Amino acid sequence: MPTQLERARDGEVTPEMERVADREQRDPEFVREQVAAGRAVIPHNREHDGLDPMVIGEAFATKVNANIGNSADTSAPEEELEKLHAAVHYGADTVMDLSTGTDLDRIREANVAHSPVPVGTVPIYEAVKRAGSAADLTHDLLRDVIEKQAEQGVDYMTIHAGVLMEHLPLTDGRTTGIVSRGGSILARWMEEHGEQNPLYVDFPGLCETFREYDVTVSLGDGLRPGSLADASDEAQFAELDTLGELTGLARDRGVQVMVEGPGHVPMDEIRDNVDRQREVCDGAPFYVLGPLVTDVAPGYDHITSAIGATEAARAGAAMLCYVTPKEHLGLPEREDVRDGMAAYRIAAHAADVANGLPGARDWDDALSEARYAFDWRRQFDLALDPERAQSFHDRTLPGDNYKEARFCSMCGVEFCSMRIDQDAREAGDGMADFADGTDLNASVAAEVNRPPVGTHDTDDLPTWPPETFDGDRRTSPEEADD
């Protein structure tokens, strides 16, 4: 069966394109044109039942990915499902399962079965687990793992095919060397065997698997900078040139493709990085990790990276990979997922507002109107994270009577500026009243730019929480906030 890319090129508007058009408030033919040109992708493995289609592309609302996954030391399969549910609840447009511990197949299959959003993976992680070491990887093993994960319903895969032998000397003298797990694994393999990257050598054949299942290939940035000192260096851009070559090769074989971008970049270099990717990779959607704009804030890297992510999205990045406060420090837990998602939903929305996406600012205007009207319940409903907004308010003013109050604990009654302003207007002191005018039901904004952002069609998914989740620590985000 043809892929979304091939069907778009043939002039067909698929059911997935129709659904995307509805969610983005755009014409279906426009969606088709963007997919046909390779400027947008709709990750949708044919084996992923229950997926609610979404689109990644510069012309559409900025998307956010959440990384989840276990390690050799932490997190059981049930906990991974809790992270998945939390990520989707707080607005993730896709999730990547980066598990490197035990029960990899069980975790992956459960995530695909329970996820209404596309699921991504990095197949080389499982391949190394099965091989026992990076040096023991084989071409056949990599192909087998990729084939199996495609059969399991994975919607997109990060493939570090752009790291070549001739690029490795370019990393000499870096401050932080090769920080990508996939990049470092392949560099070790090439050093051990004296051969070219097997993912690069086998890429044409791998595209046949991607095409068979309509898996979107996400070309990984194995030589991305891991510090400001290494940003925009020769190694990073040499790999990018190879990714441009692979973008064309994948498209020629009917495979949807997006390109991953750098991790640590000074703010003044971000736009140049995005512009360069757009030119080298012929407009393929750019998927960026951050980038972090400073290296000095471990424990707060959801903030340092969200700053860079906003700038990258303003410049044209199509999807942002969230960073949690635990980045560089440990495996994120449920609350870290929540904090990372909030930071990145803010970054994505702020960029969409700045870029003038249709209707994107309607959400801001509606909340501002509710704030000025002291409509506290409406403010909570419109908040990016309603539970947290109400929780903060109710810590000092918990009673229902305070939901009608014309003040909060920040200023109190006497010094509330908006109450003073309203009283002056009501007294007729020459200041006109304002009119409430924002109707979000009539907004042309994409779904991700209207509350609630974590809304997906879940009719074909198993119920949450699963019946097997008996015992402690088996609650949904809503229950946990009660």
Side-chain angles (χ1 to χ4, degrees):
M1 182 177 181
T3 63
Q4 293 288 328
L5 174 58
E6 291 171 322
R7 294 165 76 180
R9 287 172 172 168
D10 288 342
E12 178 185 355
V13 175
T14 67
E16 291 79 14
M17 295 173 201
E18 291 277 5
R19 173 59 177 151
V20 163
D22 179 59
R23 296 181 68 181
E24 297 283 331
Q25 299 285 294
R26 309 298 282 270
D27 186 87
E29 177 60 21
F30 177 74
V31 175
R32 187 201 65 76
E33 290 172 354
Q34 291 292 305
V35 173
R39 292 191 293 270
V41 296
I42 300 176
H44 195 315
N45 188 315
R46 307 189 211 284
E47 301 299 320
H48 188 168
D49 298 329
L51 177 65
D52 193 8
M54 52 80 70
V55 67
I56 302 167
E58 182 181 350
F60 303 98
T62 305
K63 303 306 188 297
V64 175
N65 170 69
N67 287 340
I68 59 175
N70 74 354
S71 70
D73 302 317
T74 57
S75 189
E78 292 79 9
E79 293 169 334
E80 291 309 310
L81 276 183
E82 290 176 347
K83 291 181 194 174
L84 168 70
H85 187 68
V88 174
H89 176 73
Y90 293 115
D93 299 294
T94 77
V95 293
M96 289 202 78
D97 175 9
L98 305 185
S99 294
T100 58
T102 58
D103 289 323
L104 298 185
D105 281 325
R106 182 181 165 205
I107 288 171
R108 188 181 310 113
E109 290 168 355
N111 282 339
V112 170
H114 285 85
S115 180
V117 303
V119 175
T121 61
V122 186
I124 199 169
Y125 296 169
E126 181 185 354
V128 170
K129 289 285 291 185
R130 288 174 56 179
S133 72
D136 291 329
L137 285 171
T138 66
H139 289 250
D140 287 344
L141 177 57
L142 285 166
R143 286 193 294 266
D144 289 347
V145 169
I146 290 169
E147 175 79 25
K148 182 190 69 173
Q149 292 193 6
E151 291 174 352
Q152 290 173 322
V154 170
D155 300 289
Y156 67 98
M157 297 185 195
T158 293
I159 304 296
H160 296 93
V163 182
L164 303 184
M165 288 185 68
E166 52 266 38
H167 298 159
L168 301 186
L170 302 178
T171 66
D172 294 344
R174 274 186 161 189
T175 296
T176 47
I178 299 175
V179 299
S180 159
R181 286 192 289 196
S184 65
I185 290 167
L186 288 163
R188 170 71 185 280
W189 189 93
M190 288 185 279
E191 291 284 351
E192 286 279 340
H193 293 268
E195 298 177 15
Q196 189 57 277
N197 181 346
L199 293 175
Y200 177 81
V201 172
D202 296 339
F203 193 75
L206 297 178
C207 283
E208 296 307 310
T209 297
F210 300 143
R211 182 188 177 279
E212 180 180 355
Y213 294 91
D214 203 354
V215 173
T216 298
V217 61
S218 185
L219 294 172
D221 50 342
L223 299 181
R224 67 176 178 268
S227 56
L228 298 190
D230 297 339
S232 306
D233 70 355
E234 193 175 359
Q236 177 191 336
F237 289 146
E239 181 188 24
L240 178 62
D241 289 341
T242 306
L243 299 185
E245 169 199 335
L246 295 172
T247 296
L249 194 155
R251 286 174 173 172
D252 288 346
R253 286 159 174 77
V255 175
Q256 299 188 93
V257 59
M258 57 185 174
V259 177
E260 298 183 16
H264 294 241
V265 179
M267 186 177 290
D268 60 301
E269 296 179 19
I270 291 174
R271 182 170 289 275
D272 288 343
N273 269 258
V274 176
D275 289 345
R276 186 166 185 153
Q277 184 275 343
R278 182 188 290 112
E279 179 179 355
V280 170
C281 298
D282 191 29
F286 202 17
Y287 165 29
V288 296
L289 177 68
L292 284 71
V293 296
T294 179
D295 298 337
V296 301
Y300 297 93
D301 280 332
H302 60 313
I303 298 173
T304 64
S305 62
I307 293 169
T310 307
E311 182 68 10
R314 270 181 21 97
M319 186 162 75
L320 312 175
C321 182
Y322 88 159
V323 173
T324 76
K326 285 274 188 68
E327 188 77 10
H328 304 110
L329 302 173
L331 190 73
E333 300 174 291
R334 179 191 171 278
E335 199 62 18
D336 304 308
V337 170
R338 180 181 191 173
D339 290 342
M341 279 308 310
Y344 272 71
R345 282 261 58 104
I346 293 166
H349 179 70
D352 288 348
V353 171
N355 287 336
L357 261 68
R361 211 190 74 182
D362 289 348
W363 185 3
D364 303 82
D365 293 345
L367 195 145
S368 294
E369 291 160 7
R371 179 177 290 142
Y372 187 75
F374 294 104
D375 188 341
W376 293 103
R377 291 184 177 85
R378 178 68 171 156
Q379 282 190 64
F380 302 151
D381 288 343
L382 291 175
L384 182 76
D385 185 339
E387 296 95 344
R388 179 162 292 180
Q390 182 166 349
S391 172
F392 282 4
H393 173 271
D394 289 359
R395 286 182 187 178
T396 50
L397 300 174
D400 284 346
N401 57 309
Y402 290 116
K403 302 300 188 296
E404 314 296 333
R406 297 175 67 207
F407 64 93
C408 72
S409 61
M410 170 67 79
C411 300
V413 179
E414 184 176 356
F415 287 98
C416 178
S417 58
M418 288 196 296
R419 182 197 60 76
I420 295 169
D421 182 76
Q422 286 180 9
D423 289 347
R425 294 178 191 281
E426 291 171 2
D429 292 342
M431 294 190 292
D433 289 337
F434 303 126
D436 295 346
T438 304
D439 180 5
L440 285 179
N441 291 327
S443 175
V444 296
E447 282 189 7
V448 299
N449 277 320
R450 288 180 294 177
V453 293
T455 301
H456 304 277
D457 182 353
T458 59
D459 288 346
D460 296 327
L461 295 177
T463 57
W464 180 266
E467 293 180 1
T468 55
F469 277 29
D470 295 328
D472 58 78
R473 299 196 345 99
R474 298 292 182 264
T475 57
S476 69
E478 300 91 330
E479 294 166 354
D481 288 320
D482 287 343

